[in-house]
Amino acid sequence: MRVAMRVGVMGAGQLGRMLALAGIPLGIRFVFFAPEPSASAQDVGDVMLGAWDDEKALTRFAESVDVVTYEFENVPASATDIVARSCAVWPPRGALMLTQDRLHEKETFQSLGIPVAPYAPVNSAEELRAAIARVGAPGILKTRRFGYDGKGQVRVDTPEAADAAWGAVGGVPLIYERVVQFTRELSVLAVRASDGTRVVYPIVENRHRHGILRCSMALAAGMDDAKRIAAEAYATALLDSLNYVGVLALELFDTDFGLVANEMAPRVHNSGHWTIEGAETSQFENHVRAVCGLPLGDCAPVGCSAMFNIIGKEPDIAHVLAIPDVHVHMYGKSERPGRKLGHITVRTRTPRELSERVAALGAITTIS
Ligand code: AMP
């Protein structure tokens, strides 16, 4: 098979940029569709500007490529439907719909036997009080749609806090879920090709600050076999039930009683950035391979890796690169508080070297 494809990406941020950086060596070209110009994407492909409801622009975009994917899950399904009239869109519509509604997502997890925190849908202050009585407190009240990185959610410590919580996020469809007592947060990334073949990356441990991912440790230390097998089974059950094509990320809470699923993302994921240097085939290359109908690559780790997000402010790159085994990825974005500007992956041969390099990085930056 000759690979001279054009892949369209809806969205034009760092995930699209890294998809292109992985696909270009395979002879694939990239066209991005986004409402605004993007420094991240324009270095690596053509950017077509248009609104998500601009039927003409979306059709022109779809007709200029062989297959379309997306790099964020809040792309309107109506936009992917317009694109789908002209070419295939992967991951499939069902996966996108699922991740756009936390209630639908939880129900699907449950139907597949994937454990979730106790929850209840909430559409009024009365329903919230009833949900707290039924599900228990403390809990978290979340918007069903358009929540990410901890946005659109409020903690409810006691039943008395119900009205204040409703005041903070109420007025839109919500879900109330009990707080999970977890020891750490994990994620598992899995990939499915169009012929149904699947591969799964090793589970990683993720550390957050202010709701934003700071660091992923690959591999998660001390994963017992039962939990590893369960995580892989959950991810592959989702892939198969959705007839999925591409990379899927499943975020999990690790608890003393087993794994509890938090949410999934139908796309390449920040907790998989370490795979660029730390795995035989990166998540980006495997996603591109999957949507282009190509065979998937090996997910085995290469050495020990830790990934740190560069958030808000750029460190002195020359100082960072003076540390051995360090790899820097900048996304072409300007500094702004809370913004993901790039990431650093440290990849070493041994866990001891990894600790040493991470300590050296911590000594010259605020990253680790
Ligand atoms: P989310 O937007 O659902 O990914 O939530 C953002 C973060 O809030 C997660 O990474 C967790 O740290 C925390 N969180 C969300 N839901 C729960 C829960 N049910 N129990 C405990 N922590 C949670």
Side-chain angles (χ1 to χ4, degrees):
M1 179 177 175
R2 241 186 92 249
V3 185
M5 294 187 71
R6 289 172 74 89
V7 172
V9 180
M10 300 175 85
Q14 65 264 21
L15 299 179
R17 176 185 178 96
M18 289 185 275
L19 285 170
L21 289 170
I24 289 167
L26 301 178
I28 296 165
R29 302 196 59 190
F30 287 79
V31 182
F32 299 89
F33 185 93
E36 283 155 21
S38 153
S40 296
Q42 73 197 17
D43 292 344
V44 292
D46 299 328
V47 181
M48 289 177 70
L49 296 179
W52 293 121
D53 60 358
D54 185 339
E55 194 169 333
K56 263 200 195 140
L58 284 164
T59 304
R60 225 179 317 120
F61 163 67
E63 286 175 350
S64 73
V65 295
D66 301 300
V67 65
V68 164
T69 188
Y70 44 87
E71 58 134 44
F72 74 117
E73 59 273 35
N74 287 330
V75 51
S78 54
T80 63
D81 289 345
I82 294 168
V83 169
R85 288 184 210 143
S86 308
C87 71
V89 181
W90 298 117
R93 191 177 201 279
L96 188 65
M97 298 309 292
L98 192 80
T99 49
Q100 291 187 353
D101 182 347
R102 288 185 192 272
L103 179 63
H104 184 24
E105 187 176 48
K106 285 254 192 312
E107 289 169 346
T108 304
F109 287 174
Q110 274 190 311
S111 73
L112 294 170
I114 303 172
V116 294
Y119 68 91
V122 168
N123 294 301
S124 66
E126 296 79 65
E127 280 184 19
L128 175 57
R129 283 191 285 273
I132 297 171
R134 188 146 48 91
V135 170
I140 303 180
L141 186 62
K142 301 178 176 181
T143 56
R144 279 170 53 179
R145 294 171 59 80
F146 302 124
Y148 65 95
D149 283 351
K151 293 192 174 66
Q153 50 184 270
V154 55
R155 203 180 143 104
V156 184
D157 282 310
T158 60
E160 292 69 46
D163 286 346
W166 174 259
V169 291
V172 292
L174 301 168
I175 182 170
Y176 175 77
E177 58 184 67
R178 202 154 78 215
V179 164
V180 176
Q181 301 299 333
F182 60 81
T183 50
R184 58 181 176 169
E185 295 189 64
L186 305 171
S187 59
V188 59
L189 270 62
V191 201
R192 189 169 180 275
S194 46
D195 67 358
T197 317
R198 332 178 211 97
V199 287
V200 184
Y201 286 97
I203 296 160
V204 303
E205 178 177 339
N206 301 313
R207 298 178 193 154
H208 299 82
R209 209 181 301 152
H210 309 306
I212 301 177
L213 181 71
R214 292 281 148 170
C215 158
S216 294
M217 303 299 294
L219 319 178
M223 277 304 294
D224 67 52
D225 272 353
K227 283 183 179 168
R228 183 181 52 73
I229 290 165
E232 290 176 6
Y234 300 157
T236 51
L238 281 163
L239 289 179
D240 288 345
S241 74
L242 292 165
N243 203 15
Y244 200 91
V245 174
V247 168
L248 175 146
L250 178 63
E251 296 182 17
L252 298 157
F253 298 129
D254 193 2
T255 82
D256 293 342
F257 310 100
L259 301 175
V260 175
N262 179 27
E263 60 181 0
M264 64 168 254
R267 54 169 169 81
V268 285
H269 195 256
N270 197 169
S271 69
H273 290 2
W274 66 276
T275 60
I276 297 175
E277 289 85 16
E280 291 288 353
T281 316
S282 78
Q283 63 160 346
F284 300 102
E285 181 173 337
N286 261 338
H287 187 79
V288 170
R289 288 191 192 202
V291 302
C292 291
L294 297 167
L296 302 182
D298 188 0
C299 288
V302 179
C304 313
S305 301
M307 188 282 318
F308 300 90
N309 274 334
I310 298 172
I311 296 171
K313 203 166 163 29
E314 211 176 299
D316 185 323
I317 302 295
H319 285 155
V320 170
L321 288 175
I323 302 169
D325 305 321
V326 163
H327 305 269
V328 174
H329 299 257
M330 297 307 298
Y331 307 149
K333 293 156 106 179
S334 53
E335 293 185 342
R336 192 197 295 161
R339 194 179 207 194
K340 289 177 185 169
L341 303 177
H343 73 267
I344 297 173
T345 297
V346 187
R347 188 205 55 198
T348 61
R349 272 164 305 181
T350 64
R352 196 182 145 169
E353 280 174 327
L354 184 63
S355 309
E356 287 169 8
R357 306 296 187 236
V358 170
L361 191 60
I364 59 160
T365 68
T366 53
I367 282 167
S368 54

